[in-house]
Amino acid sequence: MLINPFRGRRRAAAVALATVVVLTLVTGCGDDPPPGHAERLQKAAGVASFKITCTKDLWDRTKPGFTNRDSHEDAKPRGLSGAAGERGLVEVTLTGAQLVDYLKTLEEDISGGMGANRSVEELSRRMYEAIAPVVDRIEKGKPPAEVPQAVVDDAVAPVSPAPSPT
């Protein structure tokens, strides 16, 4: 009986390749998160509520991984009145926990993580870039005077948030 000296090498190469594939799938192939992302998540977790004003289309296209969670079904867009409503703008109010989940979803789409939706990468980036500076201005341990609000509408200057009804 002849012994094939390459048999062990092929097996070792196959195991090494399988290991690389599994590690790639488990860790993802995405880019690093945006600078300050971890601190941003901590700040977002501490807010009672956060408002986002954008078009319904932008919200619908960037929310899929976020709103499929049962605990976030109440984060629904509310149509706005007046000129803003006529242009298709809606307002979504999120709790701090919901905002954390949403920022994670956006970041995943931007960086190409495991659950990334690459078809909305630029939309997610635009939404993240509008929300991030508002969250960054939140001071830990100091409740904001008004509900923080991110406005994604380049046609108008950001509006000051309306007083919270509660």
Side-chain angles (χ1 to χ4, degrees), residues 111-160:
S111 64
M114 283 282 291
N117 181 351
R118 294 303 238 169
S119 67
V120 296
E121 178 181 357
E122 290 308 315
L123 299 176
S124 294
R125 183 178 316 282
R126 180 64 181 98
M127 186 68 90
Y128 190 96
E129 289 173 354
I131 295 170
V134 178
V135 174
D136 290 346
R137 286 191 299 268
I138 295 171
E139 295 180 45
K140 281 183 168 182
K142 182 179 175 188
E146 298 175 326
V147 175
Q149 180 177 15
V151 178
V152 187
D153 182 12
D154 293 332
V156 296
V159 295
S160 59

Side-chain angles (χ1 to χ4, degrees), residues 62-138:
T62 60
K63 69 169 179 152
F66 165 67
T67 56
N68 287 339
R69 296 176 178 94
D70 292 336
S71 65
H72 297 100
E73 290 180 5
D74 59 337
K76 303 232 187 282
R78 180 181 62 82
L80 296 175
S81 60
E86 290 173 14
R87 288 196 336 275
L89 294 177
V90 296
E91 183 176 84
V92 181
T93 303
L94 306 176
T95 65
Q98 291 169 328
L99 179 58
V100 167
D101 289 342
Y102 186 50
L103 286 170
K104 286 180 179 179
T105 297
L106 294 172
E107 186 278 327
E108 194 171 84
D109 289 344
I110 294 166
S111 64
M114 283 282 291
N117 181 351
R118 294 303 238 169
S119 67
V120 296
E121 178 181 357
E122 290 308 315
L123 299 176
S124 294
R125 183 178 316 282
R126 180 64 181 98
M127 186 68 90
Y128 190 96
E129 289 173 354
I131 295 170
V134 178
V135 174
D136 290 346
R137 286 191 299 268
I138 295 171

Side-chain angles (χ1 to χ4, degrees), residues 5-6 23 34 46 48 53-54 57 59 68 93 110 129 143 146:
F6 298 107
L23 286 174
T53 301
C54 62
D57 182 48
W59 173 255
N68 287 339
T93 303
I110 294 166
E129 289 173 354
E146 298 175 326

Side-chain angles (χ1 to χ4, degrees), residues 40-49 95-97 100 138 140-144:
R40 202 166 284 126
L41 295 179
Q42 289 178 353
K43 284 184 175 185
V47 299
S49 64
T95 65
V100 167
I138 295 171
K140 281 183 168 182
K142 182 179 175 188

